[in-house]
Amino acid sequence: MRVLLSTYGTRGDVEPLVALAVRLRELGAEVRMCTPPDEEFAARLAGVGVGLVPVGPPVKEMMRGKTLPSAADLARYRDELVETQFGAFPAAFDGCDVVLAAGLGQVAARSVAESLGIPYLYVSYAAVHLPSPHHAPPPRPGWPEPEAAGNAARWEFDARNVDAQFGAALARHRAALGLPAVDNVRDHIITDHPWLAADPVLGPWQETPGLDVVQTGAWTLPDDRPLPADLTRFLDAGDPPVYVGFGSMSPAEGVGAMAVEAIRAQGHRVLVSRGWADLDLLDDGDDCFAVGEANHQNLFPRVAAVVHHGGAGTTLTAARAGAPQVVVPLQLSDNPYWAGRVAALDLGAALDARETTAETLGVALKTALSPETRERARSLAGRLRTDGAEVAARRLTGELR
């Protein structure tokens, strides 16, 4: 069996598919993956023996800026990505038995798979990306914010935005492939039978008419890499520090420095993850330490709390470690959704990055560092699944054999 996995985005978009690829290979499947051409992704896939098909421009440099590109630049970027996909996907998909795509940016995947007679599946990593009256659509950078009240009206507005961005290009390419036009680009990409690769306790799906969602659990792999020696020495030298990191994102202006200030004000040591933004938040104090790449599965059980941006992977790893969380999300994608889930489950606190101050961070940290929050976080950790990628791989191979 030959499987094509495809996504475009940051590390949080790629890593779940890496986990699925590893489990599929263990079941004897051949796997190739379409991702951005960033060196980090190429090295990651080579390390697990998965062939990379680079599609689109590198992502890392765009994400390192203090702000996202303008709406006009994002629109042009998305249009160029669609053209690149329709150019690259036919050869990449050739000979595959199934195509699985992740993310709304996979505009060409279903059409190319359809033209080649290959089954197509769509996966989301967070319930908020799937249309439902139970939640509003996620923020999509560069597109107008909905003025309508009510989730149903907001989802209709969201569909119009997607059609305005991608509709003409998709219609043109489908006509060239001899395929009929589609009425709703977003729902065409998602299908009416999407998969949800999220933990059912941390990010549950609520039944929605018209969508038959398969929730497999989150797609992750065990990570037994040791922590760097200098990081281990810092951890051993005192009480557990509070971790501050924003992954592939650049935090809102001043938020990182305010977090360090608020943590120190409460007498805690600080561990800063540089991330893709290459954060430089430290002075000469011996109560602070900066780290680059590190194994979060080994690290988070050793910290007092995790301050982060609300990425799906960071939220899940902190929850599995039983670490309280303070989420300061950008108004981007699923970040606000995961912030809301942390708050709803009383695993810590969530703030709005646009209104965050050192004072509000201090209050949020007091909530997260309380014994009651720590106990709730530890209790929830034992209820989270770790077999999502295996479940998905077995379902995928079993359905198609």
Side-chain angles (χ1 to χ4, degrees):
M1 180 179 183
R2 288 163 291 188
V3 181
L4 188 288
L5 308 177
S6 183
T7 192
Y8 188 85
T10 65
R11 185 172 179 177
D13 298 286
V14 174
E15 281 295 329
L17 292 188
V18 172
L20 178 62
V22 169
R23 296 306 183 213
L24 285 168
R25 282 171 52 82
E26 291 173 351
L27 296 175
E30 298 178 24
V31 186
R32 71 181 73 147
M33 192 183 306
C34 295
T35 75
D38 298 74
E39 292 181 3
E40 178 177 321
F41 301 146
R44 181 74 172 106
L45 293 180
V48 297
V50 173
L52 167 66
V53 180
V55 178
V59 170
K60 190 170 185 176
E61 285 306 312
M62 180 179 71
M63 299 306 298
R64 290 176 106 167
K66 294 296 183 184
T67 60
L68 288 171
S70 68
D73 286 342
L74 282 169
R76 183 168 57 253
Y77 188 88
R78 288 167 172 144
D79 286 342
E80 291 173 356
L81 181 59
V82 171
E83 299 303 317
T84 301
Q85 289 174 353
F86 273 105
F89 281 173
F93 292 9
D94 186 44
C96 290
D97 298 300
V98 63
V99 169
L100 185 145
L104 188 61
Q106 296 295 292
V107 177
R110 184 176 181 181
S111 296
V112 174
E114 185 180 346
S115 72
L116 296 172
I118 303 171
Y120 165 88
L121 290 168
Y122 177 86
V123 63
S124 174
Y125 304 144
V128 72
H129 291 297
L130 303 177
S132 172
H134 300 296
H135 53 251
R140 305 196 195 276
W143 291 350
E145 287 294 320
E147 297 177 359
N151 291 339
R154 286 173 175 265
W155 278 110
E156 290 178 8
F157 185 81
D158 180 75
R160 292 196 296 272
N161 278 340
V162 178
D163 285 342
Q165 174 74 67
F166 299 119
L170 182 61
R172 173 167 48 83
H173 281 288
R174 285 182 64 84
L177 293 171
L179 301 173
V182 299
D183 295 329
N184 182 314
V185 175
R186 183 198 65 208
D187 292 355
H188 161 81
I189 295 168
I190 290 172
T191 79
D192 58 4
H193 190 63
W195 287 13
L196 176 57
D199 186 89
V201 173
L202 193 61
W205 173 250
Q206 293 181 265
E207 291 299 322
T208 296
L211 277 186
D212 181 17
V213 174
V214 174
Q215 185 161 16
T216 63
W219 298 350
T220 60
L221 292 172
D223 190 348
D224 58 2
R225 292 174 298 153
L227 298 175
D230 53 353
L231 172 57
T232 299
R233 285 193 294 270
F234 175 75
L235 294 170
D236 291 342
D239 292 334
V242 174
Y243 170 97
V244 179
F246 298 90
S248 303
M249 306 295 179
S250 294
E253 188 69 31
V255 165
M258 284 189 289
V260 172
E261 176 187 343
I263 294 164
R264 279 176 150 171
Q266 297 191 31
H268 289 274
R269 302 192 302 156
V270 186
L271 175 61
V272 174
S273 173
R274 296 188 184 94
W276 276 16
D278 198 22
L279 295 180
D280 182 12
L281 303 175
L282 304 185
D283 51 31
D284 295 330
D286 59 7
D287 62 340
C288 285
F289 187 84
V291 64
E293 172 65 22
N295 177 359
H296 286 177
Q297 292 181 26
N298 278 347
L299 174 60
F300 285 177
R302 300 196 61 181
V303 303
V306 177
V307 180
H308 64 99
H309 62 298
T314 307
T315 304
L316 176 65
T317 305
R320 283 181 176 168
Q325 305 180 47
V326 174
V327 188
V328 190
L330 299 175
Q331 293 303 303
L332 177 68
S333 188
D334 58 353
N335 292 176
Y337 168 79
W338 291 114
R341 292 303 301 156
V342 166
L345 291 165
D346 289 328
L347 301 178
L351 299 172
D352 186 330
R354 298 166 297 185
E355 301 174 358
T356 296
T357 65
E359 289 73 23
T360 60
L361 270 166
V363 172
L365 281 164
K366 286 182 179 178
T367 298
L369 293 167
S370 71
E372 295 81 7
T373 302
R374 168 66 72 176
E375 181 55 36
R376 282 192 296 268
R378 286 175 175 168
S379 176
L380 183 106
R383 298 163 52 201
L384 304 182
R385 296 176 55 174
T386 59
D387 63 347
E390 182 178 355
V391 168
R394 292 190 178 279
R395 186 178 184 94
L396 188 61
T397 56
E399 280 189 351
L400 295 167
R401 280 178 177 167

